[in-house]
Amino acid sequence: MNTLAAPNYKRIYVWEMPVRLFHWVNALCITVLIVTGYLIGHPLTLFRSPEAYQQYWFGTVRFIHFAFAYLFLFNFLMRLYWSFVGNRFANWRTFLPLKKVQRHDLMDVLTVDILQIKEKGKISLGHNMLAGLSYFCLFLVGIFQILTGFGLYAAMSKSWFAGLFAWVVPLFGSDGVTRVWHHGAMWFFIVFIVVHIYIVFYHDYVEGRGTASSIVGGWKFEREDRIKPDSF
Amino acid sequence: MTNASIWQIMAQKGYSRRDFLQFCTYAAALSGLDYAAYGQVVESMEKKPRPPVVWLHFQECTCCSESFLRASHPIVADVVLDTLSLDYSQTLQAASGFQAEACLHETIRDFPGEYVLLVEGSVPMKDGGIYCTVAGQSAEDILKESAKHAAAVVAWGSCASNGCIQAARPNPTNATPIHKILHGPVINVPGCPPIADVMTSVVTHLLVFGRVPDLDRKGRPREFYSRRVHDTCYRRPYFDAGLFVENWDDENARKGYCLYKMGCRGPVTYNACGVTKWNEGTSFPIQSGHGCIGCSEDGFWDNGPFYQHLANFPGFGIEATADKVGLIAGSATVAGVAAHAVLTNIRKRRVIDETQHESADMPREV
Amino acid sequence: MTRIVVDPITRIEGHLRIEATVENGVITDAYSAGTMVRGFEIILRGRDPRDAWAFVERACGVCTTVHALASVRSVEDALAIQVPKNAELIRNLMFCTQLVQDHVVHFYHLHALDWVDVVSALSADPAETSELAKSISRWPKTSKHYFADVQNRLKTFVQSGQLGIFKNGYWGHPQYKLPPVANLLAVAHYLEALEWQKELVKIHAIFGGKNPHPNYLVGGVPCSININEVNAINNERLNHVGHLIKGAIEVVEQMYIPDLMAIASFYKDWAGIGGGLSNYLVYGDLPTTFYGDRDHYKFPSGAILNRNLNEIHEVDGKDDSQIKEYISRSWYRYQGGDDVGLHPWQGETEFNYTGPKPPYEHLDVDQKYSWLKTPRWNDHPMEVGPLARMLVAYGRGLEDVKEVVHEALGRLGVGVEALFSTLGRTAARGLETRLVVQWMKGFYDELVANIKAGDTSTFTQERWEPSSWPQECEGVGMSEAPRGALAHWIRIKDRKIDNYQLVVPTTWNASPRDPQGQLSAYESALIGTPVANLDQPLELLRTIHSFDPCLACAVH
Ligand code: HEM
Ligand code: HEM
Ligand code: NFV
Ligand code: SF4
Ligand code: SF4
Ligand code: F3S
Ligand SMILES: [Mg+2]
C-alpha cells in the first residue's frame, strides 16, 4: 500500500534507429572478431580429416574475421557520420569531457556509481560522462585494430582498399610486432564487454529507467522533475 | 682501355655477337625497359669494364659471405671472375694488412661514383666505435668513407639491414643497421643469411640492368621480399584446413602438416624461401620440419620465443604473452565487477528501495 | 727490431690483428688481438634455453651449426635429455658435412694462396699440368684442354687489369716454391672446389632446411622421418644425402688429399716452423652410441702435455678446476678482480675497453689488448684443432687414425715430430677430413639401417615443456668444431637462461696471454716464424692461416 505519490515519468526517445543499429552491429562484429581472432591465435585441434582438400575450417575462420572486419569498419564510419547529424544524445561531444558540466558529471559518476561513496547524484539522459569516455576509448582501440588489422591484411590482399594501410606495419617494425599488438588489443574489448554489460544492468537495476531496453527500443524513462533542456 | 667490357668478356668466352644482343634484349625485357631504352643497355654493357665492388665486414658472422659462396646460378666463381671485380673482400682476397687496405682505398679513389658497396654486418655506435675496428679504424668511419662515392649501397643480411642478433636486447654495443647511419638510399637484403641466389641476383640486377631493382618501403627488392613465407609455403593447404603439427615428430609432423602451432613465423615474414628455396632449391626451413623463425624480419630475435605462436609481450618479461597479460586483466575485471555487484546491494540498498517504491501500486490480481 | 702490424688478416673469418716484433728476419714476439665484439653472452641472459641454439649459431657462419650443436647438447645435459638414435646420427651427418666443407674451403680458398702463386700459373704448360694431375690421382678433369681453358680464363682476367680478389697479393715472393704446373693445377682446383663446396652442404638443407645456419632442436632434430611421405625425410631425401657423401669421398680422396700431399712435398721446411705450444686439448665428438657415452666417440677426448703422446690426460668440462677463463689482458672486467680465472659456469661477461681510441696506429700490448678471453686447462695454454684431434686419437691408439697418419708421413718421408708445425697443422686438417668422409658414410648406412629396422623417431618429448624442468640446473655441451674443442656452459634458473658462456676453439688458440704471461697458440707459434720481407709477411700468414682463424666465433 504505497502512500507516497509516485512521481511522473516521461518517455524520452534517446537512441535513434541508426545508433541502435550501430550498437548491435558493432556488438556482433566485436564478438565475432574476438572469437575468430582468438581462434587465429590459438587454433583448435580438430581432426575431421587427414586430407587438406576435404576441409577449410581455418581458412573459413580467417575469412569470417576479415569479412566482419570490413563490416566493423563501415559500421564505425556510419556512426562517425551520425555523431554529427544525429540527435544530441548521439553527438560527438557526448564522448569527451569538453565542458565543465561534463567534467563535473564525470566526478559525479565516479563517486556515486563506481566508488559509491556518495549516495545520489545527477542522472544523465543519454550516456553519462564516464560511459561516454569508455566508448571513446573503445572507438580508439577500434581504430587501432582497424589500422593494425588492415595493415596486416594489406600483404595478403590484392584489394586497393587494404593497400591503403600498407604503411602501418613499417611503423611497428614488422608484421610480427604488429600482430602481437593486434592480438593484445583484443583483451581491451573483452574487458570492455564485461564492464559495459555489467554497468548497463547496474543502472537498470539501481535507477529503474529501462536503461537496458533503451538500446533496443530507443526509449528511456525519466522523472519529469529531472528533465532539463540541456541534459545530455 | 685495359678493362674488358661485358661484351668483350662474352666474346672471349666464345659467345657470338648475336648471343650478346639476345642477352641484351633479355636483360632489357627483364628490367622492364621499353625499346627506346634498350639501346642504352647494349651500349652500357659494351663499354663497361667489370664493375668494381667492395665488400665490407663489420659486426657479423660472415655467414652472408658464406651464403654468397653457395650461389648456384650464377656460381660464385663466375660472378667474381667474369661479372664484377671484387676489389676488397676480407674473406677471399689474397692481400692482407696494408696491401688489403690499399685495395679498398684505390677503388674508392679510382672509381668514384662507379663502384658498388656491399656491407655485411652492423655498426656498433656505442663508445666511439671501439667494438669493431679494422686496421685501427672504427666501423663507422670506414662505412662513411666507403659510402661517400659509391654508386649503390647494398646491406647484406639482417645484420646490415636491421642490426640482427647483436642488436637484440639489450644491444650491448648499440649495433646499428647501415641505413640508419648513411644518408643515401640503401638496398636492404635481409635474412640471416639471405638466400645465396637472391644475393647474386641482387648484385647482377644492379650490374646487368644498371639500375636498382624495385624496392619496397623498407628498401627491400620486391623481387624477393614482397611475399610472406606463408603465402608461398607449400604447407599452406594444411593451414587453411586447420591441420597442424601439435608436437615435434608427432603423426602430423611426419605427414608434413602446418607448423603454425609450433611457432612458425611464416605468416609474419617476408622472404622468398618458399619459392626460391635454399641451396639450389634443395629445401627450406619449413620443408625440413622446423618453423620459420622470421630471420629476415626487423627485430626477429626479440620476437620470440620461437616455439610459441605469440611472441612475448615487450616489457612484461619472459613468459608474458599478450594472452597472459590479458587474462590477468580480464580476471581482475570479473572479480572487480562481482565485488561491485555485492557492494551495490549493500550500499545502494536505500536508493534501490526508493526507486522500487516509486513504482505504481498494482493489484496482485487482474 | 721492427714492429709489424697486419690488420686486417684476411682469408679468415672475422677481425684479427697481429702485431709482431721481427728481429733479423725472424719473429721474436707476437700479439694477437680480436677487434670486434657483439656480446652474445649478455644478449642470451633471460631467454628461453630452447631458443639458445639459434642465437649462438649466429656466432659464426663459417662453422655454422657447430654452436647450435653445442648449445642443444648443453641444454639437454642440463635437463637430462637423451636424444633418439636417429637424431644422434643426423646430427653426426650434419657435423661431418660441416667439417668436410669447412676444411676443403679452408684449404683451397683461405690457405692455398699462401702456398700457390696464382700469377705463376700463367706460365705453366697445360700439357705438363695434365701429366702432373694424372700422376697424382684419378680425378676426371685432367685434360690439357681443360687446363688450357683455365689458364686462358685466368689470362683474360689478369689482362683486364682488374685483379679483383687477387690484387696486391704477394705474387712473385721468393717463398713461393711451387713450379708453374702445380700452381695452375691448384688454381683449377680452387675453382672446382668453390663450385663443389656448395653441393655438400645440401645435406644441411635436407635435414636442417638451409645452409648456412640450418635448424636444430632441443631433444632431437626438427626433421621427421617418414619413408612413405613426400613431406618428410623419405627415401629420395636419403638418396640425395647418400649421393652427396659419395661425391665428398671422391673430392677428398682424389682432389684434396693428392693436392695437399703434392703441395706439402714442396714445403717440407715448414715441418720445422710454427710448432708453438706443445700442449693439445680435445673434448671429443662424433658419438657412435649416444652423446653421454664419451668413451665411444670417433674423435676421442684427451689432453696432451709437452708433446708426450704416450700419456693422454682425461678432460672434464664440469670440473671447475680444469677449465678457466682469464681476462687480465682482455677488455673485460670480473667482479672478483681481473687476475682470477673463472670456470664458465661462474663466467662473467662485462665489457671494459681500455685500449686506444680509434683511429689508432698501435695497441698498447702491455695492457689489455683483445676482445678474446683467455681459456686455460689446468692453467696450461692449449692448442686445439685438427692437429690436437689427430694427436690425441693417435696417442690413444685408434687404428684408422694411425693408418692415415703413417701413410701421409711415409709419403712425405718425415717423422711424427713433423706434425708439430705449421705444415703439420695443415696436413692434420686434410687427414681428418679423409677419416671423416669415411665415417660419414658409416653414419649414413647406420641411419638407413635403423630406419629399415622400423625406428623412425627423431625427437624426445619428455622435457620439452618448461613446466617439466627443475627450478635450477646447469649443463655443458661439448663438441669438436673444425677449429677445435668447443663447449657451451649453461645455467638455467626459473626456466630461463641465467648464465651462458661459450668457450670457442679460436678463443683457445688466438687469445692474449694469461696473468702468468703464458702465450696462447697463435702468439707462441709465430715466435720463430721467419719473415723475409717485412712488407710482405707471407710467412706470418702461413702460420696464422694454418690454424684457420675464426674471430667472430672466438669473441662472440
Ligand atoms: C575488435 C576488433 C578485432 C579483434 C579483437 C581482433 C582480434 C584478432 C586476433 C586475436 C588475431 C590473432 C592474432 C594472432 O595471434 O596472431 C587477429 C588476427 C588478424 N586480424 Fe584481427 N581483430 C580485430 C579486428 C580486425 C580488423 C578490423 C582487421 C582488418 C582487416 C583484422 C585483421 C586481422 C588479420 C589480417 C589477422 C591475421 C590473420 C592471419 O594472418 O591469419 N582484425 N585478430
Ligand atoms: C559486444 C558487446 C557490446 C559492445 C561492444 C557495446 C558497445 C556499446 C557502445 C559503443 C555504446 C555507445 C553507443 C553510442 O552512443 O553510439 C553502447 C551503448 C549502450 N549499450 Fe552496448 N555494447 C555491447 C553490448 C551491450 C548489451 C548486451 C547491452 C544490453 C543489454 C548493451 C546496452 C547498451 C546500452 C543500454 C547503451 C546505451 C548506453 C548508455 O545509456 O550509456 N550493450 N554499447
Ligand atoms: N673457432 C671457431 Fe668456429 C669453428 N670451427 C667454432 O666453434 O669458426 Ni667460426
Ligand atoms: S645476418 Fe645473420 S647470417 Fe648474416 S652475418 Fe648477420 S648473423 Fe650472420
Ligand atoms: S608452415 Fe608456417 S608458413 Fe607454412 S603454412 Fe604453416 S604457418 Fe604458414
Ligand atoms: S627463418 Fe629465414 S630462412 Fe626463410 S623460412 Fe624463415 S625466412
Ligand atoms: Mg665466452
Side-chain angles (χ1 to χ4, degrees), chain C residues 223-248:
Chain C
C223 55
S224 286
I225 298 169
N226 187 347
I227 51 170
N228 295 306
E229 171 63 57
V230 71
N231 269 333
I233 299 300
N234 57 17
N235 196 33
E236 177 272 330
R237 300 268 96 179
L238 291 171
N239 282 342
H240 198 164
V241 173
H243 170 78
L244 292 166
I245 295 174
K246 233 166 112 182

PDB file of all heavy atoms in Angstrom, chain C residues 223-248:
ATOM      1  N   CYS C 223      63.615 -32.445 -38.308  1.00  0.00           N
ATOM      2  CA  CYS C 223      63.058 -33.162 -39.469  1.00  0.00           C
ATOM      3  C   CYS C 223      62.521 -34.519 -39.025  1.00  0.00           C
ATOM      4  O   CYS C 223      63.184 -35.255 -38.312  1.00  0.00           O
ATOM      5  CB  CYS C 223      64.127 -33.332 -40.541  1.00  0.00           C
ATOM      6  SG  CYS C 223      65.615 -34.139 -39.968  1.00  0.00           S
ATOM      7  N   SER C 224      61.321 -34.818 -39.440  1.00  0.00           N
ATOM      8  CA  SER C 224      60.749 -36.124 -39.139  1.00  0.00           C
ATOM      9  C   SER C 224      61.063 -37.082 -40.272  1.00  0.00           C
ATOM     10  O   SER C 224      61.286 -36.669 -41.406  1.00  0.00           O
ATOM     11  CB  SER C 224      59.237 -36.018 -38.966  1.00  0.00           C
ATOM     12  OG  SER C 224      58.950 -35.416 -37.735  1.00  0.00           O
ATOM     13  N   ILE C 225      61.054 -38.360 -39.921  1.00  0.00           N
ATOM     14  CA  ILE C 225      61.326 -39.383 -40.927  1.00  0.00           C
ATOM     15  C   ILE C 225      60.024 -40.098 -41.260  1.00  0.00           C
ATOM     16  O   ILE C 225      59.274 -40.485 -40.364  1.00  0.00           O
ATOM     17  CB  ILE C 225      62.350 -40.404 -40.390  1.00  0.00           C
ATOM     18  CG1 ILE C 225      63.682 -39.712 -40.091  1.00  0.00           C
ATOM     19  CG2 ILE C 225      62.529 -41.556 -41.378  1.00  0.00           C
ATOM     20  CD1 ILE C 225      64.668 -40.563 -39.322  1.00  0.00           C
ATOM     21  N   ASN C 226      59.739 -40.214 -42.541  1.00  0.00           N
ATOM     22  CA  ASN C 226      58.573 -40.985 -42.959  1.00  0.00           C
ATOM     23  C   ASN C 226      58.819 -41.434 -44.390  1.00  0.00           C
ATOM     24  O   ASN C 226      58.714 -40.646 -45.329  1.00  0.00           O
ATOM     25  CB  ASN C 226      57.313 -40.115 -42.866  1.00  0.00           C
ATOM     26  CG  ASN C 226      56.054 -40.922 -43.132  1.00  0.00           C
ATOM     27  OD1 ASN C 226      56.131 -42.063 -43.621  1.00  0.00           O
ATOM     28  ND2 ASN C 226      54.913 -40.350 -42.829  1.00  0.00           N
ATOM     29  N   ILE C 227      59.168 -42.679 -44.534  1.00  0.00           N
ATOM     30  CA  ILE C 227      59.575 -43.113 -45.874  1.00  0.00           C
ATOM     31  C   ILE C 227      58.380 -43.303 -46.806  1.00  0.00           C
ATOM     32  O   ILE C 227      58.540 -43.644 -47.979  1.00  0.00           O
ATOM     33  CB  ILE C 227      60.446 -44.395 -45.841  1.00  0.00           C
ATOM     34  CG1 ILE C 227      59.774 -45.479 -45.018  1.00  0.00           C
ATOM     35  CG2 ILE C 227      61.830 -44.091 -45.306  1.00  0.00           C
ATOM     36  CD1 ILE C 227      60.462 -46.821 -45.167  1.00  0.00           C
ATOM     37  N   ASN C 228      57.171 -43.078 -46.297  1.00  0.00           N
ATOM     38  CA  ASN C 228      56.007 -43.133 -47.173  1.00  0.00           C
ATOM     39  C   ASN C 228      55.352 -41.767 -47.314  1.00  0.00           C
ATOM     40  O   ASN C 228      54.137 -41.663 -47.469  1.00  0.00           O
ATOM     41  CB  ASN C 228      54.996 -44.143 -46.630  1.00  0.00           C
ATOM     42  CG  ASN C 228      55.566 -45.540 -46.669  1.00  0.00           C
ATOM     43  OD1 ASN C 228      56.020 -46.003 -47.716  1.00  0.00           O
ATOM     44  ND2 ASN C 228      55.586 -46.201 -45.526  1.00  0.00           N
ATOM     45  N   GLU C 229      56.152 -40.723 -47.239  1.00  0.00           N
ATOM     46  CA  GLU C 229      55.582 -39.374 -47.245  1.00  0.00           C
ATOM     47  C   GLU C 229      56.542 -38.428 -47.971  1.00  0.00           C
ATOM     48  O   GLU C 229      57.746 -38.467 -47.737  1.00  0.00           O
ATOM     49  CB  GLU C 229      55.378 -38.928 -45.789  1.00  0.00           C
ATOM     50  CG  GLU C 229      55.005 -37.481 -45.592  1.00  0.00           C
ATOM     51  CD  GLU C 229      53.675 -37.111 -46.221  1.00  0.00           C
ATOM     52  OE1 GLU C 229      52.661 -37.733 -45.880  1.00  0.00           O
ATOM     53  OE2 GLU C 229      53.663 -36.210 -47.079  1.00  0.00           O
ATOM     54  N   VAL C 230      55.967 -37.593 -48.811  1.00  0.00           N
ATOM     55  CA  VAL C 230      56.821 -36.675 -49.560  1.00  0.00           C
ATOM     56  C   VAL C 230      57.275 -35.497 -48.706  1.00  0.00           C
ATOM     57  O   VAL C 230      58.270 -34.855 -48.980  1.00  0.00           O
ATOM     58  CB  VAL C 230      56.097 -36.195 -50.840  1.00  0.00           C
ATOM     59  CG1 VAL C 230      54.957 -35.237 -50.490  1.00  0.00           C
ATOM     60  CG2 VAL C 230      57.070 -35.548 -51.815  1.00  0.00           C
ATOM     61  N   ASN C 231      56.533 -35.225 -47.631  1.00  0.00           N
ATOM     62  CA  ASN C 231      56.792 -34.086 -46.768  1.00  0.00           C
ATOM     63  C   ASN C 231      57.780 -34.348 -45.652  1.00  0.00           C
ATOM     64  O   ASN C 231      57.829 -33.584 -44.703  1.00  0.00           O
ATOM     65  CB  ASN C 231      55.481 -33.676 -46.089  1.00  0.00           C
ATOM     66  CG  ASN C 231      54.750 -32.638 -46.890  1.00  0.00           C
ATOM     67  OD1 ASN C 231      55.354 -31.885 -47.626  1.00  0.00           O
ATOM     68  ND2 ASN C 231      53.449 -32.608 -46.744  1.00  0.00           N
ATOM     69  N   ALA C 232      58.500 -35.431 -45.685  1.00  0.00           N
ATOM     70  CA  ALA C 232      59.393 -35.763 -44.577  1.00  0.00           C
ATOM     71  C   ALA C 232      60.686 -36.315 -45.146  1.00  0.00           C
ATOM     72  O   ALA C 232      60.878 -36.347 -46.363  1.00  0.00           O
ATOM     73  CB  ALA C 232      58.720 -36.785 -43.664  1.00  0.00           C
ATOM     74  N   ILE C 233      61.586 -36.724 -44.250  1.00  0.00           N
ATOM     75  CA  ILE C 233      62.794 -37.382 -44.734  1.00  0.00           C
ATOM     76  C   ILE C 233      62.358 -38.744 -45.266  1.00  0.00           C
ATOM     77  O   ILE C 233      61.982 -39.642 -44.511  1.00  0.00           O
ATOM     78  CB  ILE C 233      63.825 -37.537 -43.596  1.00  0.00           C
ATOM     79  CG1 ILE C 233      64.227 -36.170 -43.048  1.00  0.00           C
ATOM     80  CG2 ILE C 233      65.039 -38.322 -44.088  1.00  0.00           C
ATOM     81  CD1 ILE C 233      64.854 -35.221 -44.059  1.00  0.00           C
ATOM     82  N   ASN C 234      62.373 -38.860 -46.566  1.00  0.00           N
ATOM     83  CA  ASN C 234      61.940 -40.110 -47.207  1.00  0.00           C
ATOM     84  C   ASN C 234      63.118 -40.683 -47.978  1.00  0.00           C
ATOM     85  O   ASN C 234      64.256 -40.228 -47.851  1.00  0.00           O
ATOM     86  CB  ASN C 234      60.732 -39.852 -48.099  1.00  0.00           C
ATOM     87  CG  ASN C 234      61.031 -38.780 -49.149  1.00  0.00           C
ATOM     88  OD1 ASN C 234      62.195 -38.469 -49.408  1.00  0.00           O
ATOM     89  ND2 ASN C 234      59.992 -38.232 -49.735  1.00  0.00           N
ATOM     90  N   ASN C 235      62.827 -41.664 -48.769  1.00  0.00           N
ATOM     91  CA  ASN C 235      63.925 -42.336 -49.461  1.00  0.00           C
ATOM     92  C   ASN C 235      64.651 -41.421 -50.438  1.00  0.00           C
ATOM     93  O   ASN C 235      65.868 -41.469 -50.577  1.00  0.00           O
ATOM     94  CB  ASN C 235      63.388 -43.570 -50.182  1.00  0.00           C
ATOM     95  CG  ASN C 235      64.501 -44.501 -50.573  1.00  0.00           C
ATOM     96  OD1 ASN C 235      65.499 -44.603 -49.868  1.00  0.00           O
ATOM     97  ND2 ASN C 235      64.359 -45.147 -51.716  1.00  0.00           N
ATOM     98  N   GLU C 236      63.882 -40.551 -51.094  1.00  0.00           N
ATOM     99  CA  GLU C 236      64.511 -39.625 -52.046  1.00  0.00           C
ATOM    100  C   GLU C 236      65.516 -38.729 -51.329  1.00  0.00           C
ATOM    101  O   GLU C 236      66.638 -38.516 -51.788  1.00  0.00           O
ATOM    102  CB  GLU C 236      63.420 -38.785 -52.726  1.00  0.00           C
ATOM    103  CG  GLU C 236      63.937 -37.726 -53.692  1.00  0.00           C
ATOM    104  CD  GLU C 236      64.258 -36.385 -53.049  1.00  0.00           C
ATOM    105  OE1 GLU C 236      63.613 -36.028 -52.034  1.00  0.00           O
ATOM    106  OE2 GLU C 236      65.165 -35.689 -53.533  1.00  0.00           O
ATOM    107  N   ARG C 237      65.109 -38.226 -50.162  1.00  0.00           N
ATOM    108  CA  ARG C 237      65.995 -37.352 -49.388  1.00  0.00           C
ATOM    109  C   ARG C 237      67.248 -38.125 -48.941  1.00  0.00           C
ATOM    110  O   ARG C 237      68.357 -37.615 -48.998  1.00  0.00           O
ATOM    111  CB  ARG C 237      65.263 -36.810 -48.149  1.00  0.00           C
ATOM    112  CG  ARG C 237      64.029 -35.995 -48.488  1.00  0.00           C
ATOM    113  CD  ARG C 237      64.331 -34.527 -48.613  1.00  0.00           C
ATOM    114  NE  ARG C 237      64.566 -34.123 -49.980  1.00  0.00           N
ATOM    115  CZ  ARG C 237      64.833 -32.869 -50.372  1.00  0.00           C
ATOM    116  NH1 ARG C 237      64.898 -31.895 -49.491  1.00  0.00           N
ATOM    117  NH2 ARG C 237      65.060 -32.579 -51.631  1.00  0.00           N
ATOM    118  N   LEU C 238      67.019 -39.354 -48.493  1.00  0.00           N
ATOM    119  CA  LEU C 238      68.162 -40.165 -48.053  1.00  0.00           C
ATOM    120  C   LEU C 238      69.097 -40.443 -49.223  1.00  0.00           C
ATOM    121  O   LEU C 238      70.321 -40.365 -49.094  1.00  0.00           O
ATOM    122  CB  LEU C 238      67.673 -41.469 -47.425  1.00  0.00           C
ATOM    123  CG  LEU C 238      66.958 -41.317 -46.077  1.00  0.00           C
ATOM    124  CD1 LEU C 238      66.318 -42.630 -45.660  1.00  0.00           C
ATOM    125  CD2 LEU C 238      67.926 -40.834 -44.992  1.00  0.00           C
ATOM    126  N   ASN C 239      68.510 -40.755 -50.374  1.00  0.00           N
ATOM    127  CA  ASN C 239      69.341 -40.989 -51.558  1.00  0.00           C
ATOM    128  C   ASN C 239      70.191 -39.774 -51.881  1.00  0.00           C
ATOM    129  O   ASN C 239      71.350 -39.880 -52.252  1.00  0.00           O
ATOM    130  CB  ASN C 239      68.468 -41.299 -52.779  1.00  0.00           C
ATOM    131  CG  ASN C 239      67.964 -42.732 -52.749  1.00  0.00           C
ATOM    132  OD1 ASN C 239      68.509 -43.576 -52.031  1.00  0.00           O
ATOM    133  ND2 ASN C 239      66.923 -43.006 -53.514  1.00  0.00           N
ATOM    134  N   HIS C 240      69.566 -38.611 -51.749  1.00  0.00           N
ATOM    135  CA  HIS C 240      70.288 -37.375 -52.041  1.00  0.00           C
ATOM    136  C   HIS C 240      71.496 -37.249 -51.108  1.00  0.00           C
ATOM    137  O   HIS C 240      72.607 -36.948 -51.549  1.00  0.00           O
ATOM    138  CB  HIS C 240      69.332 -36.186 -51.878  1.00  0.00           C
ATOM    139  CG  HIS C 240      69.807 -34.932 -52.537  1.00  0.00           C
ATOM    140  ND1 HIS C 240      68.996 -33.864 -52.784  1.00  0.00           N
ATOM    141  CD2 HIS C 240      71.031 -34.560 -52.989  1.00  0.00           C
ATOM    142  CE1 HIS C 240      69.698 -32.892 -53.360  1.00  0.00           C
ATOM    143  NE2 HIS C 240      70.923 -33.288 -53.494  1.00  0.00           N
ATOM    144  N   VAL C 241      71.260 -37.531 -49.841  1.00  0.00           N
ATOM    145  CA  VAL C 241      72.354 -37.459 -48.871  1.00  0.00           C
ATOM    146  C   VAL C 241      73.448 -38.460 -49.244  1.00  0.00           C
ATOM    147  O   VAL C 241      74.643 -38.128 -49.278  1.00  0.00           O
ATOM    148  CB  VAL C 241      71.827 -37.726 -47.437  1.00  0.00           C
ATOM    149  CG1 VAL C 241      72.986 -37.823 -46.441  1.00  0.00           C
ATOM    150  CG2 VAL C 241      70.863 -36.621 -47.014  1.00  0.00           C
ATOM    151  N   GLY C 242      73.026 -39.688 -49.543  1.00  0.00           N
ATOM    152  CA  GLY C 242      73.990 -40.731 -49.906  1.00  0.00           C
ATOM    153  C   GLY C 242      74.836 -40.320 -51.103  1.00  0.00           C
ATOM    154  O   GLY C 242      76.058 -40.492 -51.128  1.00  0.00           O
ATOM    155  N   HIS C 243      74.171 -39.736 -52.077  1.00  0.00           N
ATOM    156  CA  HIS C 243      74.855 -39.291 -53.283  1.00  0.00           C
ATOM    157  C   HIS C 243      75.891 -38.208 -52.972  1.00  0.00           C
ATOM    158  O   HIS C 243      77.014 -38.225 -53.491  1.00  0.00           O
ATOM    159  CB  HIS C 243      73.798 -38.763 -54.268  1.00  0.00           C
ATOM    160  CG  HIS C 243      74.363 -38.067 -55.453  1.00  0.00           C
ATOM    161  ND1 HIS C 243      74.903 -38.744 -56.525  1.00  0.00           N
ATOM    162  CD2 HIS C 243      74.479 -36.750 -55.741  1.00  0.00           C
ATOM    163  CE1 HIS C 243      75.333 -37.863 -57.421  1.00  0.00           C
ATOM    164  NE2 HIS C 243      75.090 -36.653 -56.974  1.00  0.00           N
ATOM    165  N   LEU C 244      75.508 -37.274 -52.109  1.00  0.00           N
ATOM    166  CA  LEU C 244      76.417 -36.191 -51.769  1.00  0.00           C
ATOM    167  C   LEU C 244      77.625 -36.715 -50.994  1.00  0.00           C
ATOM    168  O   LEU C 244      78.747 -36.223 -51.168  1.00  0.00           O
ATOM    169  CB  LEU C 244      75.676 -35.119 -50.958  1.00  0.00           C
ATOM    170  CG  LEU C 244      74.613 -34.349 -51.746  1.00  0.00           C
ATOM    171  CD1 LEU C 244      73.688 -33.567 -50.812  1.00  0.00           C
ATOM    172  CD2 LEU C 244      75.265 -33.390 -52.752  1.00  0.00           C
ATOM    173  N   ILE C 245      77.400 -37.717 -50.151  1.00  0.00           N
ATOM    174  CA  ILE C 245      78.523 -38.287 -49.396  1.00  0.00           C
ATOM    175  C   ILE C 245      79.500 -38.958 -50.363  1.00  0.00           C
ATOM    176  O   ILE C 245      80.721 -38.818 -50.250  1.00  0.00           O
ATOM    177  CB  ILE C 245      78.019 -39.288 -48.332  1.00  0.00           C
ATOM    178  CG1 ILE C 245      77.187 -38.551 -47.271  1.00  0.00           C
ATOM    179  CG2 ILE C 245      79.178 -40.023 -47.687  1.00  0.00           C
ATOM    180  CD1 ILE C 245      76.517 -39.454 -46.252  1.00  0.00           C
ATOM    181  N   LYS C 246      78.930 -39.668 -51.312  1.00  0.00           N
ATOM    182  CA  LYS C 246      79.781 -40.325 -52.308  1.00  0.00           C
ATOM    183  C   LYS C 246      80.654 -39.288 -53.023  1.00  0.00           C
ATOM    184  O   LYS C 246      81.862 -39.485 -53.218  1.00  0.00           O
ATOM    185  CB  LYS C 246      78.894 -41.042 -53.336  1.00  0.00           C
ATOM    186  CG  LYS C 246      79.249 -42.500 -53.522  1.00  0.00           C
ATOM    187  CD  LYS C 246      78.149 -43.207 -54.274  1.00  0.00           C
ATOM    188  CE  LYS C 246      78.617 -43.620 -55.658  1.00  0.00           C
ATOM    189  NZ  LYS C 246      77.514 -44.265 -56.419  1.00  0.00           N
ATOM    190  N   GLY C 247      80.027 -38.192 -53.408  1.00  0.00           N
ATOM    191  CA  GLY C 247      80.763 -37.129 -54.077  1.00  0.00           C
ATOM    192  C   GLY C 247      81.868 -36.570 -53.187  1.00  0.00           C
ATOM    193  O   GLY C 247      82.974 -36.264 -53.650  1.00  0.00           O
ATOM    194  N   ALA C 248      81.563 -36.445 -51.898  1.00  0.00           N
ATOM    195  CA  ALA C 248      82.548 -35.885 -50.969  1.00  0.00           C
ATOM    196  C   ALA C 248      83.761 -36.803 -50.862  1.00  0.00           C
ATOM    197  O   ALA C 248      84.906 -36.329 -50.816  1.00  0.00           O
ATOM    198  CB  ALA C 248      81.912 -35.679 -49.599  1.00  0.00           C
TER     199      ALA C 248
END
